[in-house]
Amino acid sequence: MAQKSYRQAINEALHAEMARDPNVILMGEDLTGGAGGSGVQDAWGGPFGVTRGLLGAYGPERVRDTPISEAAFIGAAAGAALTGLRPVAEIMFIDFLGVCFDQIMNQAAKFRYMFGGRARTPLVIRATYGAGTRAGSQHTQALHPILTHIPGLKVVMPSTPYDAKGLLIQAIRDDDPVMFLEHKMLYDMVGEVPDRSYTIPFAEARVVRDGKDVLLIGLGRMAHIAEAAAEELARNGISACVIDPRTTSPLDVETLVEFAEKIGRVVIVDEANPRCSVAADISAILCEQCFDALKGPIRMVTAPHTPVPYAPNLEDAYIPSAARVVEAAQSLLRTR
Amino acid sequence: MAQKSYRQAINEALHAEMARDPNVILMGEDLTGGAGGSGVQDAWGGPFGVTRGLLGAYGPERVRDTPISEAAFIGAAAGAALTGLRPVAEIMFIDFLGVCFDQIMNQAAKFRYMFGGRARTPLVIRATYGAGTRAGSQHTQALHPILTHIPGLKVVMPSTPYDAKGLLIQAIRDDDPVMFLEHKMLYDMVGEVPDRSYTIPFAEARVVRDGKDVLLIGLGRMAHIAEAAAEELARNGISACVIDPRTTSPLDVETLVEFAEKIGRVVIVDEANPRCSVAADISAILCEQCFDALKGPIRMVTAPHTPVPYAPNLEDAYIPSAARVVEAAQSLLRTR
Amino acid sequence: MSALQFPRERIIGIYRSMRLIRRFEERLMEEMSTGDIPGNTHLYAGQEASAVGVCLALREDDYISSTHRGHGHSIAKGCEIDAMMAELFGRATGTCAGKGGSQHIADLRKGMLGANGIVAGGAPITCGAALSAKLRGTEQVAVAFAGDGAMNEGVMAESFNLAKIWMLPIIFVIENNGYGEATANAHVSAGSFTRRAEGYDIPTDEVDGTDVFAVYEATRVAVERARTGGGPTLLHIHVPRYFGHYSGDPDTYRSADEKGEMRKNRDCLRLFRSRVEGAALLEGADLDQVEAEVEDQINQAVAAARAAPRPDAAALHTDVYVKYM
Amino acid sequence: MSALQFPRERIIGIYRSMRLIRRFEERLMEEMSTGDIPGNTHLYAGQEASAVGVCLALREDDYISSTHRGHGHSIAKGCEIDAMMAELFGRATGTCAGKGGSQHIADLRKGMLGANGIVAGGAPITCGAALSAKLRGTEQVAVAFAGDGAMNEGVMAESFNLAKIWMLPIIFVIENNGYGEATANAHVSAGSFTRRAEGYDIPTDEVDGTDVFAVYEATRVAVERARTGGGPTLLHIHVPRYFGHYSGDPDTYRSADEKGEMRKNRDCLRLFRSRVEGAALLEGADLDQVEAEVEDQINQAVAAARAAPRPDAAALHTDVYVKYM
Ligand SMILES: Cc1ncc(C[n+]2csc(CCOP(=O)(O)OP(=O)(O)O)c2C)c(N)n1
Ligand SMILES: Cc1ncc(C[n+]2csc(CCOP(=O)(O)OP(=O)(O)O)c2C)c(N)n1
Ligand SMILES: [Mg+2]
Ligand SMILES: [Mg+2]
């Protein structure tokens, strides 16, 4: 199978769905990069080069570079979704949620319920998230807990190129509003990605590796941290199972419960701040649903309750590390 | 001691602090209600009658009726706090967070950290929250989990008139941004409130009633639901302890852990939607910190993962009820 | 005024719509006191000529979005009275199956994209509907209603810009009733609404919202512009608000004089009657008959709503998603 | 031009500030390639006359707020070069103790309320500082810098309205460099920025941002207005942007012609030199000396930043709150 980057996988998904369905349109800031300029058009192919080539293939009516007006264009995407299109809108950094939150939380997410089930809102909002880029407190957040909290939204966090393509195609074909969160530190990650179109259903966790002593649950980029921790644990004779939930809403509770019951020791790794996080959420669900099978507390490894700092040594300490996951797993095994 | 309503308690706190410190100012929509009209001034005394009389006492420079521009006036309150004032701004319904979230999450909450500890932002944002008013999906939410998630904010949810006054005075004297959440269904609740000024420290949970069989943790209005459940349980010979954390950030983890360890059975009641809720958050903290003392799963009683419906029978079913809390407590006692 | 050349039936229809809105709202105000209608509601009484005049210039498949004060827009766009009344009573037969309530009435089949509990929340959504029409090539037009208070929400300005640069077939209808809740517009709004829109090169018009024909005519011009690729228009329509901000508002911040003057001189129904009777287009008896028919319709809607079932308990959990997995 | 009557020392100071900004930015661009400066940064080169001209008209205790492209504003308002450079290197001696970085440089003692990573995020905060000044009766003035792209964020419009109805002592300085990131302003902005502000009855001025004296003069008028209770002003300042949007931007969306023309004809430093030398206010040697001094200053700042300690590990957890309990 072909080796492709996470970036390219997403690009392919967009290409495939735009070719397949004329109602799929894109909008966002600098989606092409160069609109109206005196030089090269599609110069950036998006702020992270993800949308390159789509302008050439589908033209400026369907690939729309917007003003810096997130509330207006996210709202417009919601309205277009309500009236027959399938827009894929981009929020450059999820941190900018703050300026368009109403259109997501109170409008798009609630249309169907408020209108008594008589609306469909096939809207995808792509956004980058995550720390590691030395970009300071307002460009590095991981706000998936806030989005997961909101009824009416679906939240997708692919951790591999393969998942990114399959989950994005699924998201575009989905009839509900989907938040599709892309980790900036994964864009260059390479993996096997088929050329053909394929979908990955939501609420199907991926068992990254099986194991019997401890269950490590990791989301998005944290799936890789969990995997690295599992390798380190293996070197110490501990067999760790790693699961990537892939979507936080809907969440594959069934698989998580099944493995938690089987293994009995759980560590959850989440890049978000700790309070009301997805780590806490999964912990609470597992505590409620498989308490009797637990051999010890559910441990959470998350970012601290602080904004993301700029200085590299601090930012590195901010992000959950494999070492911290190993240490949490080991502490669980000590107290058996 | 004098019997006063929750509304009046809040009004007294504002009066007291405005009299005490000329830097305390108020801003919000219809804070007086009647500004610029041809009839009575201060006609509403605020959308819920909470700010009545302050205009007369402190004048329009310090009691400012704003345009419907939440992002601008919340941001202005943050900027005023950064430069010497102690503003108390009002978001009429916490649901409107969506239009001013950036100024709270990315600006006010992060100033101090981003600026390397060289800023103080003594800002209070008052907002009403909660279901029960038959006002539909966009005027009834309880968004404290989203706020609790954000480092840099403090989140206060008084459940009684006494607490409302003491916590608000504390909030106004606090040097950090504080979200002060008032439950609309509690405004008419009456209780003992001293005439004098007093403060209630943050992160000091209130033990509403002691008990030994099961611990019920209830926030804001849910403290009363927990209490009603405790009374019902008492009639069935079960002794329930009820604790109201009063502030979710900072959270009085110490007291919660102490009682959870002592009692071993925990039910958490939260009016918010379940995913990444404060119920999940407290459950995860307790599961991690006092696992060995737990005699059964931590049960959560929350709203469902749906927007708030309009029809009264549905809205009533949406809000966590004492019956559901009783049933959760009983299920814990059955599986001992 | 070209609208005066309408056929007789159409003129009767205009009066019927306006009267229906007026009586719908007055009846709601009465019914509120019975306790059978949950919560509170924002009444459109006084502003009827605006909704009706605007919608008169629209095709059935055109879009509108509305505000918290949305009953008039819904009725003018063709939503069913029975379903609306049932919605307000919180019944399963309501426009939104009882789950939305007054601030969320929507009927996509009628191009009514929803009332909105968030001030100015509908403006960008309507831009999206206009974009959708444009890309699908349907020549539909979209109208975003908003109040004077809404003009100070930033998303209005963003929507103006987006509508203009994308040349969207949209009309922003600003219904200025002088107040946002209890606050007088002049106290909180700087400059002029039309000049604000002109800052984005959007053509504008100031319209007397007590004159349904004037509203129609201004809208017709804007619709023509939108349908032929000329982009957005802003109409600033001046209207009186008959009741308080919401049904429970004692409305003491407006003087008795102000309220009296408004009802005496700015009643769009009375002005309409004298206009069409004066022009001998209709006789008083024709209009009286409309009034009687409207009365029946409202009575029936209320009776039907009262008799309708409440939503099934299971409805709490449905309709959050099309499919959740 | 009144500024030309400045004393000699002041004119030298103007050049020093502009030159300091230019060399600070050029040096950053060079240093980026060493890998010692984390992340990316937005350079202010080309726009110097705007920041310097505006701040020249301010008192030391006046406020400014800045944008993601904030180094120039910070330097012009008097922030220390050493501390800024250390901040960019992520060191404990930085303006923000290394925790903020380029987009969050702030120095409240200098009235610099912060760069901002959120486009237009500073506008309402600055309204608050202006309100604070007004209520405390200090006669301070506040300046909110923003880009052309920022003009399309709704909160700008909200801030205009708030500033006008409250008659705040504020100046909105819109630095139009023709682009928001890679997108040309004309592609995404309808109408005219000054007319947008005039829609709120805010006085405006169009200013050539390559002429520091013109910027000063326009600002002086606005400051005078603000300090004497006359309320807000919007200055639309036209500037060239020398580098790409951020330090890593290949900047291919602008033609070689466009970039060449800009550097050739719109260099505020060169224009300044020929202006003051032409008027015989200074000699070339004076300015050469300033340049040499600036060079030293920058060299020292870079050396000091490199040598400075990284933040202590414990700093990750401090400064979230004044007190958390
Ligand atoms: C974002 C937001 N802020 C505040 C409110 C509360 N609110 C509801 S209606 C209203 C006044 C709206 O005024 P206007 O736009 O003039 O409409 P009118 O009520 O006069 O029809 C306000 C402030 C809201 N619903 N949404
Ligand atoms: C709310 C928000 N949206 C988008 C961005 C990403 N972004 C950073 S700078 C920028 C362009 C700003 O353009 P302009 O205001 O003209 O300032 P300039 O960069 O030209 O100085 C954008 C879109 C952001 N930081 N914040
Ligand atoms: Mg109004
Ligand atoms: Mg620019």
Side-chain angles (χ1 to χ4, degrees):
Chain A
M1 225 188 289
Q3 294 284 315
K4 292 169 193 164
S5 69
Y6 186 89
R7 173 184 290 109
Q8 195 182 342
I10 295 168
N11 183 275
E12 276 189 19
L14 295 171
H15 254 300
E17 290 307 289
M18 291 194 80
R20 177 175 178 267
D21 183 348
N23 288 320
V24 175
I25 64 163
L26 308 188
M27 37 178 135
E29 293 156 14
D30 302 283
L31 212 54
T32 70
S38 54
V40 180
Q41 299 296 296
D42 201 19
W44 279 9
F48 295 88
V50 172
T51 40
R52 191 180 305 280
L54 295 160
L55 176 70
Y58 307 103
E61 289 292 328
R62 290 180 64 197
V63 181
R64 308 183 76 89
D65 284 31
T66 65
I68 312 176
S69 312
E70 288 83 358
F73 77 75
I74 294 292
L82 205 54
T83 55
L85 299 185
R86 303 187 86 84
V88 181
E90 176 174 319
I91 301 177
M92 198 182 293
F93 292 80
I94 194 63
D95 311 67
F96 310 158
L97 184 66
V99 299
C100 56
F101 194 38
D102 180 66
Q103 290 296 324
I104 297 174
M105 170 178 73
N106 282 328
Q107 312 295 343
K110 293 184 172 55
F111 283 156
R112 187 168 177 79
Y113 196 81
M114 294 191 304
F115 300 169
R118 285 156 197 168
R120 281 169 193 254
T121 312
L123 165 66
V124 177
I125 299 177
R126 295 176 47 241
T128 69
Y129 75 102
T133 50
R134 285 57 170 118
S137 303
Q138 293 172 338
H139 282 73
T140 44
Q141 296 169 84
L143 300 175
H144 51 279
I146 289 176
L147 300 167
T148 303
H149 179 65
I150 299 169
L153 295 183
K154 295 176 180 171
V155 183
V156 181
M157 301 176 70
S159 65
T160 67
Y162 181 89
D163 283 4
K165 180 168 175 180
L167 288 168
L168 182 51
I169 293 179
Q170 176 77 17
I172 296 173
R173 296 185 190 172
D174 196 283
D175 279 335
D176 293 304
V178 179
M179 300 295 309
F180 189 86
L181 303 178
E182 305 168 11
H183 202 297
K184 295 179 288 274
M185 302 297 283
L186 295 179
Y187 276 133
D188 291 327
M189 178 190 172
V190 169
E192 292 196 342
V193 178
D195 291 334
R196 68 179 163 79
S197 282
Y198 57 94
T199 57
I200 300 174
F202 294 164
E204 279 201 10
R206 180 170 69 94
V207 180
V208 179
R209 66 191 269 164
D210 209 346
K212 63 179 184 27
D213 297 328
V214 61
L215 170 60
L216 311 180
I217 300 171
L219 283 156
R221 186 182 179 206
M222 293 301 111
H224 301 289
I225 300 292
E227 212 179 342
E231 275 156 29
E232 174 65 20
L233 287 166
R235 283 191 280 277
N236 291 292
I238 297 169
S239 157
C241 172
V242 176
I243 294 188
D244 170 5
R246 295 205 282 210
T247 58
T248 65
S249 180
L251 180 70
D252 183 357
V253 173
E254 211 174 305
T255 300
L256 296 179
V257 165
E258 180 195 326
F259 280 79
E261 285 189 331
K262 201 167 69 184
I263 300 172
R265 294 183 196 87
V266 183
V267 179
I268 311 170
V269 198
D270 187 357
E271 188 181 320
N273 295 118
R275 305 297 313 283
C276 302
S277 61
V278 168
D281 183 71
I282 293 177
S283 169
I285 290 171
L286 295 180
C287 177
E288 193 155 22
Q289 299 201 13
C290 42
F291 181 79
D292 290 334
L294 293 178
K295 296 177 187 152
I298 298 173
R299 292 290 309 272
M300 296 181 282
V301 178
T302 67
H305 185 65
T306 75
V308 183
Y310 168 67
N313 64 322
L314 299 183
E315 189 179 26
D316 289 344
Y318 174 94
I319 301 169
S321 64
R324 284 177 58 207
V325 178
V326 165
E327 143 61 27
Q330 283 173 333
S331 79
L332 276 181
L333 284 152
R334 272 197 298 277
T335 64
R336 82 184 55 195
Chain B
M1 225 190 290
Q3 294 285 312
K4 292 168 192 164
S5 70
Y6 187 88
R7 172 184 290 106
Q8 195 183 340
I10 295 167
N11 182 275
E12 276 189 18
L14 294 171
H15 255 298
E17 290 307 289
M18 292 193 79
R20 178 175 177 268
D21 183 348
N23 289 320
V24 175
I25 65 162
L26 309 187
M27 39 178 134
E29 293 157 15
D30 302 283
L31 212 55
T32 69
S38 54
V40 179
Q41 299 296 298
D42 200 20
W44 279 9
F48 294 89
V50 172
T51 39
R52 191 179 304 281
L54 295 160
L55 176 69
Y58 307 103
E61 288 292 330
R62 291 181 64 198
V63 180
R64 309 182 76 89
D65 283 32
T66 66
I68 312 176
S69 311
E70 287 83 359
F73 76 76
I74 293 293
L82 205 53
T83 54
L85 299 185
R86 303 187 85 85
V88 181
E90 176 174 319
I91 300 178
M92 199 181 292
F93 292 80
I94 194 61
D95 310 67
F96 308 158
L97 184 65
V99 298
C100 56
F101 194 39
D102 180 66
Q103 290 296 325
I104 297 175
M105 171 178 72
N106 283 328
Q107 313 294 342
K110 293 184 171 55
F111 284 156
R112 187 168 177 80
Y113 197 81
M114 294 189 306
F115 299 169
R118 286 156 198 169
R120 281 171 190 252
T121 312
L123 165 67
V124 178
I125 299 178
R126 295 175 47 240
T128 69
Y129 76 101
T133 50
R134 285 62 171 115
S137 303
Q138 293 172 338
H139 282 73
T140 44
Q141 295 169 83
L143 300 175
H144 51 278
I146 290 176
L147 300 167
T148 303
H149 179 65
I150 300 168
L153 295 183
K154 295 176 179 173
V155 183
V156 182
M157 301 176 69
S159 66
T160 67
Y162 181 88
D163 283 3
K165 180 168 176 181
L167 289 167
L168 183 51
I169 293 178
Q170 176 77 17
I172 295 172
R173 297 185 190 173
D174 197 281
D175 278 336
D176 293 306
V178 179
M179 300 295 310
F180 190 86
L181 303 178
E182 305 168 11
H183 201 297
K184 296 180 287 275
M185 301 297 283
L186 294 179
Y187 276 133
D188 290 327
M189 179 191 172
V190 170
E192 292 194 343
V193 179
D195 291 334
R196 66 179 165 81
S197 281
Y198 57 94
T199 58
I200 299 174
F202 294 164
E204 279 201 10
R206 180 170 69 95
V207 180
V208 179
R209 66 190 270 164
D210 210 345
K212 62 179 187 23
D213 297 329
V214 61
L215 170 60
L216 311 180
I217 301 170
L219 283 155
R221 185 182 179 206
M222 293 301 111
H224 302 289
I225 300 293
E227 211 178 343
E231 274 157 29
E232 174 63 20
L233 287 166
R235 282 190 282 277
N236 292 291
I238 297 169
S239 159
C241 171
V242 176
I243 294 187
D244 169 6
R246 295 204 282 207
T247 59
T248 65
S249 181
L251 181 69
D252 183 358
V253 174
E254 208 173 308
T255 300
L256 296 179
V257 165
E258 177 194 330
F259 279 80
E261 284 189 334
K262 201 167 69 184
I263 300 172
R265 293 182 197 88
V266 182
V267 179
I268 311 169
V269 198
D270 187 357
E271 189 180 319
N273 295 118
R275 304 298 314 284
C276 303
S277 60
V278 168
D281 182 72
I282 294 177
S283 169
I285 290 171
L286 295 181
C287 177
E288 194 155 23
Q289 300 202 11
C290 42
F291 181 78
D292 290 335
L294 292 179
K295 296 176 186 153
I298 298 174
R299 292 291 309 272
M300 297 181 281
V301 178
T302 68
H305 185 65
T306 75
V308 183
Y310 168 68
N313 63 321
L314 298 183
E315 190 180 26
D316 290 344
Y318 174 93
I319 302 168
S321 63
R324 285 177 58 207
V325 178
V326 166
E327 143 61 27
Q330 284 173 334
S331 80
L332 276 182
L333 283 152
R334 272 197 299 276
T335 65
R336 83 181 57 194
Chain C
M1 193 61 55
S2 68
L4 280 173
Q5 272 101 58
F6 280 149
R8 192 171 174 283
E9 274 318 300
R10 201 128 185 239
I11 295 184
I12 288 188
I14 294 171
Y15 190 66
R16 187 185 305 278
S17 286
M18 294 204 296
R19 183 77 194 174
L20 209 45
I21 296 170
R22 174 69 54 88
R23 290 299 298 140
F24 190 90
E25 299 298 59
E26 287 174 342
R27 183 62 175 268
L28 274 183
M29 190 69 180
E30 279 167 53
E31 294 290 335
M32 290 311 297
S33 63
T34 64
D36 289 350
I37 296 186
N40 264 302
T41 182
H42 307 92
L43 303 172
Y44 193 76
Q47 311 189 185
E48 295 83 355
S50 173
V52 172
V54 167
C55 291
L56 196 62
L58 298 180
R59 286 191 336 211
E60 205 179 325
D61 67 342
D62 286 333
Y63 297 114
I64 68 163
S65 72
S66 175
T67 68
H68 57 286
R69 198 178 301 289
H71 308 158
H73 308 134
S74 300
I75 293 174
K77 192 64 178 53
C79 295
E80 285 157 27
I81 298 290
D82 284 0
M84 285 179 60
M85 192 62 86
E87 187 61 32
L88 284 153
F89 275 82
R91 304 304 165 121
T93 53
T95 330
C96 307
K99 291 161 89 160
S102 167
Q103 294 196 82
H104 306 297
I105 288 177
D107 191 340
L108 300 173
R109 293 160 314 178
K110 306 280 177 168
M112 162 56 187
L113 302 176
N116 211 310
I118 303 299
V119 166
I125 295 165
T126 318
C127 287
L131 175 65
S132 169
K134 186 174 174 177
L135 293 185
R136 289 183 290 107
T138 59
E139 293 187 353
Q140 288 159 290
V141 160
V143 173
F145 287 99
D148 50 293
M151 279 296 293
N152 297 325
E153 283 286 2
V155 76
M156 289 299 305
E158 290 189 12
S159 299
F160 294 162
N161 185 56
L162 197 72
K164 183 67 192 188
I165 55 165
W166 287 357
M167 287 302 268
L168 299 178
I170 190 171
I171 306 165
F172 298 100
V173 175
I174 310 304
E175 298 182 320
N176 188 341
N177 58 16
Y179 288 82
E181 299 208 332
T183 302
N185 179 46
H187 189 78
V188 286
S189 296
S192 125
F193 293 159
T194 48
R195 278 191 286 116
R196 290 190 196 179
E198 285 154 13
Y200 300 87
D201 286 346
I202 294 178
T204 65
D205 204 349
E206 298 272 358
V207 190
D208 174 1
T210 64
D211 178 350
V212 70
F213 298 113
V215 173
Y216 165 79
E217 185 53 27
T219 310
R220 196 189 57 72
V221 171
V223 165
E224 168 91 12
R225 177 180 297 128
R227 254 196 250 296
T228 56
T233 304
L234 179 137
L235 303 180
H236 184 196
I237 304 190
H238 299 266
V239 291
R241 189 191 77 196
Y242 266 28
F243 295 112
H245 170 63
Y246 65 98
S247 48
D249 177 5
D251 197 1
T252 56
Y253 47 85
R254 298 195 292 182
S255 66
D257 274 4
E258 180 180 350
K259 288 186 276 191
E261 193 280 334
M262 161 185 88
R263 285 184 179 249
K264 185 151 163 265
N265 300 326
R266 301 181 71 202
D267 182 330
C268 62
L269 290 172
R270 207 164 328 116
L271 290 168
F272 180 92
R273 278 194 82 126
S274 66
R275 183 89 172 275
V276 299
E277 287 177 30
L281 291 167
L282 293 175
E283 290 178 16
D286 299 328
L287 297 171
D288 292 345
Q289 196 194 322
V290 168
E291 293 187 5
E293 287 165 10
V294 162
E295 218 53 33
D296 283 351
Q297 210 181 333
I298 299 281
N299 284 335
Q300 277 168 31
V302 170
R306 273 227 164 69
R310 293 177 201 287
D312 198 86
L316 172 59
H317 298 277
T318 59
D319 301 329
V320 183
Y321 300 91
V322 175
K323 203 167 96 185
Y324 195 48
M325 44 154 270
Chain D
M1 191 64 54
S2 68
L4 279 175
Q5 272 99 61
F6 279 150
R8 192 171 174 284
E9 274 319 298
R10 199 123 185 246
I11 295 183
I12 288 189
I14 294 170
Y15 190 66
R16 186 185 306 280
S17 285
M18 294 204 297
R19 182 78 194 174
L20 207 46
I21 296 171
R22 173 69 54 89
R23 290 299 298 142
F24 190 90
E25 299 298 59
E26 286 174 343
R27 182 63 174 267
L28 274 183
M29 191 68 178
E30 279 166 54
E31 295 291 335
M32 290 311 296
S33 63
T34 65
D36 289 349
I37 296 186
N40 265 301
T41 182
H42 307 92
L43 302 172
Y44 193 75
Q47 312 188 184
E48 295 84 353
S50 173
V52 172
V54 167
C55 291
L56 197 61
L58 299 181
R59 285 194 335 214
E60 206 181 325
D61 67 341
D62 286 334
Y63 298 114
I64 68 164
S65 71
S66 174
T67 69
H68 56 286
R69 198 177 301 288
H71 308 159
H73 307 134
S74 301
I75 294 174
K77 192 66 178 55
C79 295
E80 286 156 27
I81 298 289
D82 284 359
M84 285 179 60
M85 192 61 86
E87 187 62 31
L88 284 153
F89 275 82
R91 304 303 165 122
T93 52
T95 331
C96 307
K99 291 160 90 160
S102 167
Q103 295 194 81
H104 306 297
I105 288 177
D107 190 342
L108 300 173
R109 292 161 313 176
K110 306 278 178 170
M112 162 56 187
L113 303 176
N116 211 310
I118 303 298
V119 167
I125 294 164
T126 317
C127 287
L131 175 66
S132 170
K134 186 175 174 177
L135 294 186
R136 289 183 291 105
T138 59
E139 292 186 355
Q140 289 160 290
V141 159
V143 172
F145 287 98
D148 50 293
M151 278 297 292
N152 297 325
E153 284 286 2
V155 76
M156 288 300 303
E158 291 188 12
S159 298
F160 295 162
N161 186 56
L162 198 72
K164 182 68 192 187
I165 55 165
W166 288 356
M167 288 301 268
L168 298 177
I170 190 170
I171 305 165
F172 298 101
V173 174
I174 309 305
E175 297 182 320
N176 188 342
N177 57 16
Y179 288 82
E181 299 207 336
T183 302
N185 180 44
H187 189 77
V188 286
S189 295
S192 124
F193 293 159
T194 46
R195 278 191 285 114
R196 289 189 196 179
E198 285 154 14
Y200 300 87
D201 285 346
I202 292 179
T204 66
D205 203 350
E206 299 273 358
V207 189
D208 174 0
T210 65
D211 178 350
V212 69
F213 299 112
V215 174
Y216 165 79
E217 184 53 27
T219 310
R220 197 189 56 71
V221 171
V223 166
E224 166 93 12
R225 178 179 297 128
R227 256 198 248 294
T228 56
T233 303
L234 179 137
L235 302 180
H236 184 195
I237 304 190
H238 299 267
V239 291
R241 189 192 77 197
Y242 266 28
F243 294 111
H245 169 63
Y246 64 98
S247 46
D249 178 5
D251 197 1
T252 57
Y253 47 86
R254 298 194 294 181
S255 66
D257 275 4
E258 181 180 347
K259 288 185 278 191
E261 193 279 334
M262 163 185 88
R263 285 186 178 247
K264 185 152 162 264
N265 301 324
R266 301 181 71 204
D267 183 329
C268 61
L269 290 172
R270 206 165 328 116
L271 290 168
F272 179 93
R273 277 193 83 126
S274 63
R275 184 86 172 275
V276 299
E277 288 176 29
L281 291 167
L282 294 175
E283 290 177 17
D286 299 327
L287 297 171
D288 292 344
Q289 194 194 324
V290 168
E291 292 186 9
E293 286 165 10
V294 162
E295 218 52 33
D296 282 352
Q297 209 181 335
I298 298 280
N299 285 336
Q300 276 168 31
V302 170
R306 272 227 167 70
R310 293 178 200 287
D312 198 87
L316 172 60
H317 298 277
T318 57
D319 302 328
V320 184
Y321 299 91
V322 175
K323 201 167 100 183
Y324 196 47
M325 45 153 271

